[in-house]
Amino acid sequence: VILMQMFPSLKRKVLNKILALQERLEEIAVDGVMEKESLQLSMRKMKHICRRVEQRPSELGDIVHNTLMTSFLPDWERGIVEKCLSQCQIVTNSRANNISSDWMEKILESCKRTATNPLLVPNPRFEENPGQSRVMVDILEAHSVGEKALLICGYQGVGKNKIVDYALHLMHCEREYLQLHRDTTIQSLMLVPSVENGRIVYHDSPLIKAAAHGRILVLDEADKAPVEVVALLKGLIEDGQLSLPDGRMLCHGGTSSDHIISIHEDFSIWALANPAGYPFHGNDLSREMADVFSCHIVPPMDAESHKRILLSYGENVHPRVIDKIVKTWEDLRVAHRHGLMIYPFSVRESCSVVKHLNAFPDDGIEDAVENVIAFDRLDRGLSKHLDEVFGGHGIHFSKEEYAVKKRSGHNEGVSTPKTRASSPKHGQTDPNNAPHVGGNTWAGGTGGSDTAGLGGRGGPYRLDSGHPVHQVSDEMKAQVSDEAKRRAKEIAKEALEKKLEELNMGKLDWKRYNNLRTQVEEQIVQLKSHLKYLERRSEERVWMKNQTTGELDENRIADALSGERDVFKRRGNPDDANNNALQSEPITIKLIVDISASMYRFNGYDQRLQRLLEATLMMMEGLRDDKRFRFHIVGHNGSSAKIPLVNPDTKLDEATELRVLEGMVANTQYTYAGDNTVEAIEMAVKEATRGELIIIISDANLERYDINVDDLAPLQAHDVHAHLIFIGSLGDEANELASSIPNERAQICFQSSDLPLIIKKIVIDALRQ
């Protein structure tokens, strides 16, 4: 009734679909409050939808997707929304071919203004294309129906600023611009200091100017703002008023005076943001305040739009080269969507490649691309995927050591040893761990001779001290005598035997361990790469209180007046010596492994035990010595539901890891038949503390023990994150079980190479809590 009164021209049939969708989404059972809120249609969100579909009812599906920002939801949550839309007979239409020039003119006519200060109207270079024009029309439609706050979200480099500036240009609209960041404060959001005649004078910020003069405030990097700044913006949008530090009041409907600044009726806020999480490290702005914004997604560039933009920058670049770049970037986009790459390469990077080729055509596409991705190729796991993608389109890079030389233009990264290679040895240990290049004295050096290190020649074995590697050429390596090589091998053999003795491992033990580790070497690198940038919010810079310098703490004004000195606050890291903030707690990960008889019995059928060992070794190596995680491994079989194998105090080394793996094999071989999967899950969930991550790796041999989906209900516990990964199946049992378990709490992994991505996805979803 309320919505019908607010939007009288809205078709009743359309409104019924919106209400039906709201009910469907309300019935969904999800893990916690955060997921629940991200899938709900609040009254505010429904008002945004109704305001838009009142004019364009055929676009209901697209508007719902934008409102819920489904492009940035996990796959299973996006699947839930799409399923609910289908059940409510709401169709999602692509608007690529639905934008007529007449409709565009009509929207612009309703939005055009007369600029009083033309210098504030943006005038960007913009190559019109279907993809960005579609987003721009979406933004203009929202603005034309009275939306005063827009949230425009997309990955870096997709053209958010270009689209917004060009829309303002077409509207002849004045813009005030404000870029937010981690250290933005409430005071800096409202007042801007400047030095005039030797005095600090505070002027109105772009926010105040835009509100007073009816301009559009563009808030760039809005996701980087601290929580208190986000709360202030949300309050201004919701309440229409804001108290300023100098005693004035910004409000709607008031009469401007010395103490009142009336908000102009044309004032609007357009906030630009990136999705939450790595690699942008922003706040989840959509979760914090999406309900007060009209939300708009800027998707990755489609091929036609991408090509049109690149052609505008590459007048001297052959069209075939442009086509190759477009196809390559499409493959990069797909790799990012599938989780193979963390950074979403966008049109920004491809434009840089084309600009380079346009200005320096003799360099070739390899050099132009290398210029853009050189930093990313330093990551070993990512470099492999980049080489595969670019190599698939005929773009091949030189070896890493020579690539460094090409990028730098001089011999950084390349070493010419200062001595002959004649006397291999371990070398002296530098107590300061300083970098050593080209010598033959220090262990852990690079590009030298005789000593243990990296990139050199004649040394007995590799030793990484964490310094950049300087590489000796193959020609110089060939100068090492046969006698020196023989002596180096003897030293390496002696060092290996000593290491194995320290680890209490024999040669056969080492061979068994090394053979298994070789199978998952690449997966270990991938897992470490995927988990490398995962951090909890409390590890970022925070406000440190009780400081003697910095900004005045608003909560200690009375103390300042009484003469106290430590009344300031400043930004710093949580581990700063002067900071009393609590350190972030490590994430507890409990790996529950199935070491029952069926794993041994059916290993010859589908190699499930081999995959279990590989998965366990990958997890041990991937999380080894990582202080961000508390790692447990617990087994279960027909004899027991809880067999402790690894705990956070276990010192993981090669010998320990081998003993764990051999103990798992022994259990599968000698245990009695039976299954305690359900009991193991129940016990793990019951013992877990809030926020723990439980990963259960098992085969799907459950039907023979009369175990069904209802018995796996503990997986849906709200206080912990429990996920079941099936690595073996007789027939189609694994698929049937996984598809029946709600909330994507079950995964299927029949290839060890898929496991790092599954683990990454599970951990990221857990950190969203």
Side-chain angles (χ1 to χ4, degrees), residues 401-450:
E401 56 267 30
Y402 300 114
V404 173
K405 181 178 179 180
K406 287 173 65 178
R407 290 196 298 271
S408 63
H410 52 77
N411 284 338
E412 181 182 350
V414 179
S415 175
T416 301
K418 304 169 185 175
T419 60
R420 292 193 313 112
S422 58
S423 180
K425 55 184 178 292
H426 175 79
Q428 299 179 32
T429 301
D430 186 346
N432 299 320
N433 193 29
H436 299 281
V437 180
N440 69 342
T441 303
W442 301 101
T446 70
S449 302
D450 295 338

Side-chain angles (χ1 to χ4, degrees), residues 302-312 319 322-323 326:
D302 62 272
E304 181 185 350
S305 302
H306 195 178
K307 182 177 180 179
R308 194 174 296 186
I309 290 175
L310 295 188
L311 286 171
S312 71
I322 297 289
D323 287 336
V326 170

Side-chain angles (χ1 to χ4, degrees), residues 73-354:
L73 292 177
D75 292 342
W76 72 273
E77 291 186 16
R78 184 164 58 249
I80 288 174
V81 175
E82 291 172 349
K83 182 178 179 180
C84 291
L85 286 171
S86 177
Q87 291 172 342
C88 298
Q89 299 181 349
I90 298 175
V91 180
T92 301
N93 299 313
S94 174
R95 298 186 53 186
N97 301 316
N98 295 341
I99 304 172
S100 67
S101 56
D102 292 340
W103 176 248
M104 182 77 165
E105 286 296 328
K106 182 179 178 181
I107 297 175
L108 281 175
E109 195 61 36
S110 66
C111 297
K112 277 185 178 178
R113 304 182 183 180
T114 301
T116 57
N117 187 350
L119 293 178
L120 294 178
V121 178
N123 186 26
R125 172 178 177 173
F126 186 84
E127 179 66 27
E128 294 196 14
N129 60 86
Q132 292 183 331
S133 294
R134 185 162 60 250
V135 177
M136 186 169 62
V137 169
D138 192 57
I139 292 171
L140 292 174
E141 283 180 356
H143 183 72
S144 68
V145 297
E147 291 287 2
K148 296 296 184 181
L150 309 184
L151 176 60
I152 302 161
C153 194
Y155 292 115
Q156 279 186 359
V158 294
K160 297 187 295 292
N161 291 81
K162 286 275 189 181
I163 292 169
V164 165
D165 285 350
Y166 191 59
L168 295 175
H169 172 76
L170 294 177
M171 292 164 55
H172 301 162
C173 184
E174 297 166 67
R175 178 198 69 177
E176 292 286 352
Y177 179 85
L178 193 59
Q179 187 175 46
L180 306 185
H181 49 80
R182 288 277 188 268
D183 297 334
T184 298
T185 63
I186 293 176
Q187 182 174 357
S188 65
L189 189 67
M190 295 185 285
L191 297 174
V192 178
S194 64
V195 178
E196 298 179 4
N197 298 323
R199 299 175 57 195
I200 298 178
V201 180
Y202 289 89
H203 297 284
D204 288 340
S205 70
L207 168 62
I208 308 303
K209 292 178 182 178
H213 299 289
R215 298 166 184 159
I216 290 182
L217 175 68
V218 175
L219 288 176
D220 201 5
E221 304 287 352
D223 55 300
K224 305 301 189 296
V227 175
E228 61 269 20
V229 174
V230 171
L232 179 140
L233 291 172
K234 186 174 183 179
L236 173 61
I237 296 169
E238 285 182 314
D239 305 329
Q241 64 180 34
L242 180 65
S243 297
L244 305 183
D246 57 8
R248 292 179 297 166
M249 173 73 74
L250 192 66
C251 64
H252 275 297
T255 302
S256 295
S257 65
D258 291 341
H259 300 289
I260 299 293
I261 301 175
S262 178
I263 297 178
H264 197 285
E265 62 179 358
D266 291 333
F267 169 60
S268 295
I269 295 177
W270 291 8
L272 312 184
N274 299 304
Y278 185 81
F280 309 112
H281 295 308
N283 298 311
D284 193 349
L285 198 63
S286 60
R287 176 170 59 87
E288 298 290 344
M289 53 192 300
D291 56 343
V292 300
F293 281 104
S294 172
C295 299
H296 305 268
I297 302 296
V298 183
M301 194 73 66
D302 62 272
E304 181 185 350
S305 302
H306 195 178
K307 182 177 180 179
R308 194 174 296 186
I309 290 175
L310 295 188
L311 286 171
S312 71
Y313 287 102
E315 299 172 356
N316 302 323
V317 181
H318 198 284
R320 283 201 300 271
V321 176
I322 297 289
D323 287 336
K324 179 183 289 190
I325 294 172
V326 170
K327 291 175 182 177
T328 304
W329 255 251
E330 177 64 19
D331 287 349
L332 290 172
R333 185 179 68 82
V334 172
H336 172 261
R337 189 178 69 230
H338 291 162
L340 297 174
M341 294 186 186
I342 299 175
Y343 182 78
F345 289 90
S346 66
V347 68
R348 176 182 296 170
E349 288 80 25
S350 61
C351 282
S352 296
V353 172
V354 172

